[in-house]
Amino acid sequence: MSLLLTNIGELTTNDPERGRRHDAALVIEQGRIVWIGDAAAAPAVDQATDLGGAAVLPGWVDTHSHIVFAGDRSDEFEARMAGERYAAGGIAQTVEATRTADEETLRTNAAALCAEAARGGTTFLETKTGYGLDIDSEVRSARVAREVVDSVTFLGAHVVPAGVDAREYVDLVRGPMLQAVRPYVDAIDVFCEAGAFTVDQSREVLTAGRDAGLALRVHGNQLGHSGGVALAVELGARSVDHCNHLSERDILLLAESRTVATLLPACDLSTREPFGPARQLLDAGATVALATNCNPGTSFTTSVQFCVATAVLQMHLTIEEAVFAATAAAAWSMDRDDIGVIRVGARADLQALRAPGISHLAYRPGVPLTSHVWKDGEPIGPAGG
C-alpha cells in the first residue's frame, strides 16, 4: 500500500540536492520513500495523510545510550548539583543493581525507554552493555538489548569491577566475554579515561573487537585529555563520543579522518563538564553528531530534541546543523546512508512536528513538538497522544 504525506509546511531532507523545501509531499511504499515533490504534483496513491502545514524531518538517530539497567541514581545527581564532581564512580552502583535484577525487569525498563524515545521522534536507537561486567550479566544485557533496539554495542570495558585485577579483567573482556556476547552485538566500545581504561588497554580491547568483526566506538576525552580521540582515529573507529576536552591536534585529527565526533550535551549539563567544542569541530571540517547518552547516572533523558535545542542555544550550532548532527551525521557514524535522510530509496523513518519549521525545536525549548512518527513507513502512533 502506498501512503502520501501531503501539505508539509517545511520538509527537511538532509539531501544537498533538495535541502529544505516548502509546500511539499512525499510517498511511502513498502517502508521506503518512493517520491518527493510539490504537494500540487503528488501522484495517485492508496492512502493520504494531510499534515496541515506541519514540518517533517528524518527521525532522530540516537547512537549513544545505555538503557539496559536497573536501579536509580538520583541521589548521585543531587550530589553533583550540590557541587560534587563526576568521576565515573556511580557506575558500580548500577552494576550491582543490574546484576541482581531479573531479566524481565531489565527488558521491561529498556522497552519503556525505547517507547519513550520513539514518542519523541527517535526512529533508530543504539544501546550499549556495560552494567554487567561479568560474562553472564553482559550476555544477558546484550540479549535484552538485541530484542528492543536497532543496534547493540558491547561495552564490557566500561570500568574495572571492584576487587578485580585490571590486567585480568582486560583479558576477560577481550577474550571469553567478547566471544560470549558476539552473537548479539554489532560494535565494541571502551571507556578510555582516567579511572577506567588506559590507551594501551583500550587498544587491546578494540583490536580484539575488530578482529571479531565488530565496528569500533570509543568513549573518549570526557573528563580530560585521555588520548581516546587519537586512539579512535588511529584505529578507524566509526565514532568517538563525549569529546569534551579536545586539543587543537585532536580537532585536526578528527577533521582529517572519517571518525565522527559524537557530542552528548545532556550529559555535559548533568556532569557540569564543558560542552564539546561543536563549533570548532565543524569549522575545522570534522563531522559532528549529537546523541542523548541516556543512562541512569549522568544523562537520564531519551529526548534528542532537548539535545538539539541545547546544541543551538548553548553550543553555537545553527538549527540546520544541529538537526543534521542528530540525524544524517549520526547515521554516518553507524555506517548507514539509508536513515537520517529524506530521499528516494531511503528508509521511511520520519517525524512530523507540531510546528511549521525545524527552528521551533530550539525556539520552543522544553516543549514536546513531535506529533507523528513513522518507522519503516509504519506509523508508531501520534507522539504524546
Side-chain angles (χ1 to χ4, degrees), residues 168-182:
E168 292 178 0
Y169 188 68
V170 168
D171 289 340
L172 177 69
V173 169
R174 63 194 292 270
M177 192 182 287
L178 171 59
Q179 294 172 12
V181 302
R182 180 62 186 88

Side-chain angles (χ1 to χ4, degrees), residues 29 47 72 96 101 127 215-216 257 279 297 361 367:
E29 190 168 4
Q47 182 180 342
D72 177 271
E96 181 180 0
T127 203
L216 307 185
S257 77
R279 185 74 267 150
L361 293 164
V367 178

Side-chain angles (χ1 to χ4, degrees), residues 160-161 163-176 196-205 208:
V160 178
V164 177
D165 177 76
R167 176 68 265 164
E168 292 178 0
Y169 188 68
V170 168
D171 289 340
L172 177 69
V173 169
R174 63 194 292 270
F197 296 88
T198 67
V199 169
D200 289 340
Q201 291 168 337
S202 299
R203 183 182 288 107
E204 288 186 56
V205 169

Side-chain angles (χ1 to χ4, degrees), residues 189-194 197-200 202-203 206 216-263 276-277 281 286-287:
D189 200 339
V190 61
F191 191 12
C192 182
E193 199 69 62
F197 296 88
T198 67
V199 169
D200 289 340
S202 299
R203 183 182 288 107
L206 294 170
L216 307 185
R217 314 184 79 81
V218 179
H219 282 55
N221 295 52
Q222 178 186 8
L223 306 178
H225 296 278
S226 67
V229 167
L231 179 64
V233 172
E234 172 195 330
L235 296 181
R238 288 183 180 167
S239 73
V240 55
D241 301 15
H242 288 291
C243 297
N244 301 85
H245 300 272
L246 300 186
S247 65
E248 290 185 8
R249 179 175 178 272
D250 290 327
I251 292 173
L252 182 62
L253 285 172
L254 287 165
E256 294 178 344
S257 77
R258 298 184 65 183
T259 299
V260 175
T262 300
L263 307 184
L281 284 162
T287 301

Side-chain angles (χ1 to χ4, degrees), residues 24 36 67 113 186 239 259 274 293 306 316 320 324 330 342 370 384:
I36 302 169
I67 66 167
L113 290 169
D186 311 303
S239 73
T259 299
N293 190 24
F306 175 75
H316 306 288
E320 202 162 22
F324 191 91
I342 296 177
T370 300

Side-chain angles (χ1 to χ4, degrees), residues 279-318:
R279 185 74 267 150
Q280 295 94 314
L281 284 162
L282 285 175
D283 289 347
T287 301
V288 170
L290 296 171
T292 64
N293 190 24
C294 180
N295 76 83
T298 61
S299 186
F300 200 13
T301 181
T302 58
S303 176
V304 178
Q305 180 186 326
F306 175 75
C307 297
V308 166
T310 302
V312 174
L313 297 171
Q314 296 290 324
M315 301 167 71
H316 306 288
L317 268 63
T318 68

